[in-house]
Amino acid sequence: MRFCLLIMAKSPVPGQVKTRLCPPLSAEEAADVAAASLLDTISAALDTSGAVPVVALAGMVRREDVRDALAECVVIPQRGVSFAERLVNAHADIARFRMPVLQIGMDTPQVTPSLLESCAEFGEAALGFALDGGWWALGLRDPLRAEVLRDVPMSRADTGALTLEALHGLEVRPLPMLSDVDTMADARAVARLVPGSRFAAALTQAAVAR
């Protein structure tokens, strides 16, 4: 089965990404960690059977390695002011592909192709909660159904529960719970799960530099 694997991403610009890692990281180190997380995520997406990787991108890309990775994906600009609005618009923009969509972010570099492939197996919808109460993955048979996210407050401890409530009426498959990377504690825990990843290497390099 072919499906659209939608990655919501922000260009890793110092001072604009992973600011909750600063301190102890500098803005430049946090951007390096964010870039590594995005690159690991794109790599997993490209290796996922049946996936058509689409990156909804915010910001201008300045890094050559990120530009090279994005060249292997379909890239669309994020549209909207709030994150909820950008989510809704990204799903609407990929509806033209007439495929089910599995949407993730760039904060779970521990995802694997096998995990993503299995998460794409759902009927009407799927939702993967994050340990902090949000969610890391959303599956929709019809991407236009994402309209229900418009009024869901994001980045809160109850975002996952409110998103599930907004999907009322759809059969929602629960996906595995993952930790996304917001804090240094999150970053260290995720790095331990994927010690050979770009993400873990970037975090280690930042620690060594200190």
Side-chain angles (χ1 to χ4, degrees):
M1 181 191 73
R2 287 174 65 78
F3 65 99
C4 180
L5 184 48
L6 175 63
I7 303 169
M8 299 294 292
K10 192 173 184 180
S11 183
V13 178
Q16 298 181 20
V17 290
K18 292 286 160 241
T19 54
R20 290 175 64 184
L21 302 183
C22 309
L25 300 189
S26 68
E28 291 74 16
E29 289 168 337
D32 288 341
V33 169
S37 184
L38 177 56
L39 290 170
D40 284 336
T41 303
I42 291 175
S43 290
L46 290 170
D47 289 339
T48 299
S49 179
V52 177
V54 178
V55 178
L57 183 67
M60 296 292 294
V61 177
R62 303 174 185 175
R63 294 176 57 119
E64 185 175 357
D65 54 352
V66 174
R67 284 199 301 269
D68 289 345
L70 290 173
E72 300 187 63
C73 307
V74 177
V75 179
I76 61 175
Q78 290 189 23
R79 300 185 295 111
V81 178
S82 69
F83 185 55
E85 185 179 3
R86 296 196 298 272
L87 283 173
V88 171
N89 289 336
H91 281 263
D93 288 344
I94 63 170
R96 67 182 186 273
F97 296 129
R98 299 184 181 278
M99 295 180 188
V101 57
L102 177 68
Q103 181 248 303
I104 62 175
M106 57 182 281
D107 294 336
T108 50
Q110 71 270 42
V111 295
T112 63
S114 59
L115 173 62
L116 295 173
E117 184 179 356
S118 69
C119 288
E121 298 174 1
F122 57 86
E124 293 181 308
L127 188 65
F129 280 83
L131 291 177
D132 63 4
W135 53 267
W136 71 273
L138 171 67
L140 290 171
R141 177 67 52 180
D142 177 4
L144 296 179
R145 290 277 195 168
E147 178 64 32
V148 300
L149 300 176
R150 191 177 296 276
D151 296 323
V152 174
M154 297 292 162
S155 302
R156 291 187 359 182
D158 59 353
T159 293
L162 293 173
T163 300
L164 183 59
E165 183 180 318
L167 296 170
H168 176 74
L170 297 178
E171 181 183 351
V172 182
R173 176 196 166 192
L175 301 178
M177 182 179 289
L178 296 186
S179 174
D180 53 15
V181 176
D182 290 319
T183 67
M184 280 301 297
D186 300 331
R188 294 186 183 106
V190 169
R192 287 193 292 270
L193 296 175
V194 282
S197 64
R198 297 179 186 87
F199 177 80
L203 200 64
T204 298
Q205 184 173 348
V208 169
R210 315 198 79 73

